[in-house]
Amino acid sequence: MDNSTTINFLKVLPNELITEALAMLCYQDLARCLQVCRRMAKLIQSSSLLKYHLELGSAGMEDGPLSRLSIPERRERLKAHIDAWGCIRWSSCVLLRSIPFHTYNVNIAPGGILTMMSRTEGKIAFVQLPSTLRGIPMRQWELSFPFVPHLCVLDPSEDILIVVQLGEDWEPRFHFLSLKTGKPHPLAAVFPIFGTPLSPSSLERLRLVVTRNYVAVLVLRDQLKIFDWKTGQIVFRIRSAEVRSVTFLSKSRILVASIRRNTRDMTDNWTFHLPVLRVYDLDQVPNPGQHQQAERVPLAIFALEFGRDVIPVRMDLQFRLNVHSYSPEVAVPFFSAPTDQLVALHMAGLLKPPRTPGISFYQTLLIPITKLLSHVPTTDDRQPHYIQWKDWGPTGTCRLPTQFDSYMRFRGALSGSLFIPCPDLRNVIGVWDFSRACVAQLRLRNPESVPYIQKEATLPTGITGRVKAAISEDVIVICESRSSEERVHLLVF
């Protein structure tokens, strides 16, 4: 077709079709369309749907497919949500329950579900955390078992609850149950997790993570296996004493924290320890002639730097995939976007002699997902890309000292782009905001770390004991320690 017959489709197509096409674009492309021409900008600015998509993107959120709210109602709720979290203004404070001291493990699971697993009785209590702004009602239920649970993980989008039972022979038994009823899950396959019994010390190092069809089973300093719990097939395996922690970044990508030992460095008779993060693709097809369960080549290896005098002992990854992880009954109008979320790496280590013996080094590294994955190659050339710390860490992370094991007893200090550090004062909590919308306001030219905004709020007057805090998309959970009990409070947004 020559230039004389070229058609300008922007002039020919009706506004309705152009609007529908624009609604399919991502936030970045839609924002660029504002600069194309006056007609395009006028179409976007006159459409409530397109303005809603722009407002979602700038707030680091995504539209929810399940809500029955209209677009104007969603825009109103979104604005209220942004304003409330912008100044840490909750709508109500609820005393959920009082529990005996050190008798429950409290955690926030994906889908905004608070879990309280008893250490002395065969029961787990669940709470669907409420939201005034997103219209989520609070719901509580409890499941009972003929044994004391050792571990539990869940994914409400698949209605899956995995509970680990320790038998009399210390052999772990994995129960794949329905989160709603506690009965065996109808889609779960029956398959062996371990071929040989585990020792009592190995059971203390057992970790579980579940996301959609995949469950990761990690025995620290031994092996990592990832199963498809619906088929029983092993889709990923590492046998190594170097693996310390694992988390799912998406449906097919995982992040593994491990320690590489450089035995060639024999200075002072100490082996040089190199902590690293590895990104793997579960969809990676094995090379021709390679077994399906063979170890995969990492897409990228990220070097970590904590100092040559530090020997890493424990590396604990925390990441909560909030996006579309709610159960179908929860009609949520919007979610945290996967591109605006944080990973936390909690590290504990030893200092080399002649320093004080014992674990004496604690640090937390906060890593925005976009900063990490921007260094991961988009094509799989079967060669691991090694990224030095200086090329990604100083401007792609934020590190802070951590109190002694403060993150181990009450997990869940991050949600989306928000992080709650350990409170320094009894009546004040802080919230660190790493979202794109807040960071864009800072306009830093040469940041020494990932920029963020610190916010503080005074706790309600009835909370006077020592507190630990966790956060979800809608609630700040406060665990207040008294002399003989712990009180769980919900600050509802």
Side-chain angles (χ1 to χ4, degrees):
M1 182 181 295
D2 58 41
N3 292 336
S4 61
T5 58
T6 300
I7 300 175
N8 189 333
F9 287 99
L10 283 180
K11 293 183 178 180
V12 175
L13 292 177
N15 291 344
E16 293 77 9
L17 285 180
I18 297 177
T19 300
E20 289 186 17
L22 291 174
M24 299 178 184
L25 298 179
C26 65
Y27 157 69
Q28 292 86 351
D29 291 339
L30 183 59
R32 294 188 188 102
C33 287
L34 285 169
Q35 312 298 324
V36 172
C37 63
R38 291 182 181 179
R39 184 189 179 194
M40 192 80 74
K42 186 177 180 179
L43 278 175
I44 295 173
Q45 293 167 354
S46 62
S47 169
S48 180
L49 173 62
L50 298 181
K51 286 195 291 186
Y52 175 56
H53 285 177
L54 287 174
E55 291 162 357
L56 281 172
S58 63
M61 309 292 283
E62 280 191 351
D63 193 25
L66 304 175
S67 178
R68 293 176 291 273
L69 297 176
S70 66
I71 296 300
E73 289 174 323
R74 295 191 194 197
R75 291 185 64 194
E76 184 179 350
R77 295 279 184 95
L78 177 63
K79 184 180 184 304
H81 185 273
I82 295 172
D83 293 342
W85 280 104
C87 57
I88 315 300
R89 184 182 65 249
W90 50 83
S91 59
S92 62
C93 176
V94 179
L95 174 59
L96 184 64
R97 65 170 60 186
S98 298
I99 54 180
F101 198 62
H102 284 320
T103 57
Y104 281 82
N105 289 330
V106 184
N107 186 27
I108 298 180
I113 294 181
L114 182 71
T115 64
M116 292 176 283
M117 186 180 72
S118 175
R119 300 176 181 175
T120 58
E121 302 177 83
K123 62 182 180 180
I124 305 175
F126 304 93
V127 180
Q128 175 68 68
L129 295 175
S131 172
T132 303
L133 298 175
R134 296 202 296 167
I136 303 175
M138 182 167 70
R139 185 169 68 93
Q140 301 186 52
W141 71 102
E142 187 174 283
L143 298 179
S144 299
F145 310 94
F147 55 87
V148 177
H150 178 66
L151 284 174
C152 76
V153 292
L154 60 92
D155 184 346
S157 66
E158 295 286 344
D159 187 35
I160 182 66
L161 170 68
I162 305 176
V163 180
V164 179
Q165 170 193 1
L166 295 185
E168 296 181 358
D169 54 355
W170 289 89
E171 180 66 17
R173 294 178 174 85
F174 293 78
H175 300 269
F176 294 81
L177 310 173
S178 165
L179 177 61
K180 300 174 186 175
T181 65
K183 297 180 180 179
H185 198 289
L187 300 180
V190 178
F191 56 94
I193 302 293
F194 299 107
T196 57
L198 297 179
S199 64
S201 61
S202 297
L203 291 173
E204 293 298 322
R205 304 194 303 269
L206 182 63
R207 304 288 187 269
L208 290 181
V209 187
V210 62
T211 295
R212 297 182 177 89
N213 291 1
Y214 294 136
V215 55
V217 183
L218 170 64
V219 179
L220 300 182
R221 302 180 180 88
D222 185 9
Q223 60 181 310
L224 166 65
K225 293 181 180 179
I226 297 180
F227 297 86
D228 185 327
W229 57 267
K230 292 183 179 180
T231 65
Q233 179 184 4
I234 298 177
V235 297
F236 184 85
R237 172 185 291 178
I238 296 178
R239 293 195 63 91
S240 173
E242 299 178 351
V243 179
R244 293 294 185 271
S245 186
V246 62
T247 190
F248 290 92
L249 297 179
S250 62
K251 182 179 180 180
S252 62
R253 286 188 174 182
I254 63 171
L255 182 65
V256 176
S258 58
I259 298 173
R260 299 173 62 191
R261 290 178 173 83
N262 188 348
T263 57
R264 293 175 295 178
D265 189 343
M266 301 301 292
T267 306
D268 298 327
N269 295 322
W270 284 87
T271 301
F272 189 43
H273 297 72
L274 300 172
V276 296
L277 296 175
R278 292 183 170 97
V279 177
Y280 292 90
D281 186 1
L282 298 182
D283 292 337
Q284 184 185 81
V285 179
N287 291 323
Q290 189 180 32
H291 194 273
Q292 182 69 27
Q293 298 179 6
E295 293 189 9
R296 289 171 170 80
V297 176
L299 298 177
I301 302 175
F302 294 84
L304 298 169
E305 189 172 291
F306 296 103
R308 294 209 169 195
D309 289 338
V310 177
I311 303 174
V313 175
R314 185 166 59 227
M315 301 171 68
D316 182 29
L317 288 167
Q318 287 189 16
F319 176 65
R320 189 187 311 133
L321 194 63
N322 291 331
V323 182
H324 306 308
S325 56
Y326 291 80
S327 60
E329 295 81 8
V330 181
V332 182
F334 40 81
F335 302 80
S336 296
T339 55
D340 218 16
Q341 293 188 311
L342 292 172
V343 174
L345 173 63
H346 303 288
M347 210 279 287
L350 301 168
L351 296 178
K352 293 181 181 180
R355 305 293 180 91
T356 305
I359 293 180
S360 54
F361 180 87
Y362 296 88
Q363 197 168 88
T364 294
L365 201 66
L366 300 174
I367 311 168
I369 288 290
T370 51
K371 293 286 186 179
L372 186 77
L373 296 183
S374 64
H375 296 276
V376 177
T378 56
T379 58
D380 182 11
D381 56 5
R382 304 305 174 98
Q383 295 295 326
H385 293 253
Y386 190 85
I387 299 98
Q388 298 284 353
W389 168 258
K390 63 182 178 62
D391 296 327
W392 79 281
T395 59
T397 65
C398 175
R399 67 170 74 201
L400 67 153
T402 307
Q403 297 182 14
F404 175 75
D405 269 6
S406 62
Y407 61 87
M408 293 303 292
R409 190 165 62 87
F410 192 16
R411 299 169 61 90
L414 76 164
S415 175
S417 60
L418 302 178
F419 172 77
I420 292 188
C422 187
D424 296 324
L425 303 174
R426 292 195 176 193
N427 63 333
V428 176
I429 58 169
V431 177
W432 294 8
D433 193 341
F434 292 79
S435 64
R436 291 191 302 253
C438 287
V439 170
Q441 302 173 10
L442 299 179
R443 301 183 183 278
L444 299 177
R445 293 185 177 180
N446 298 305
E448 296 180 358
S449 70
V450 172
Y452 60 93
I453 292 180
Q454 291 186 358
K455 308 170 186 178
E456 288 188 347
T458 302
L459 293 174
T461 55
I463 302 177
T464 58
R466 292 184 59 86
V467 301
K468 290 187 178 296
I471 189 171
S472 75
E473 290 188 280
D474 307 290
V475 174
I476 295 177
V477 182
I478 302 294
C479 190
E480 178 193 10
S481 298
R482 297 291 183 104
S483 57
S484 60
E485 66 177 8
E486 292 179 306
R487 295 182 178 179
V488 181
H489 305 265
L490 305 182
L491 307 180
V492 183
F493 287 77

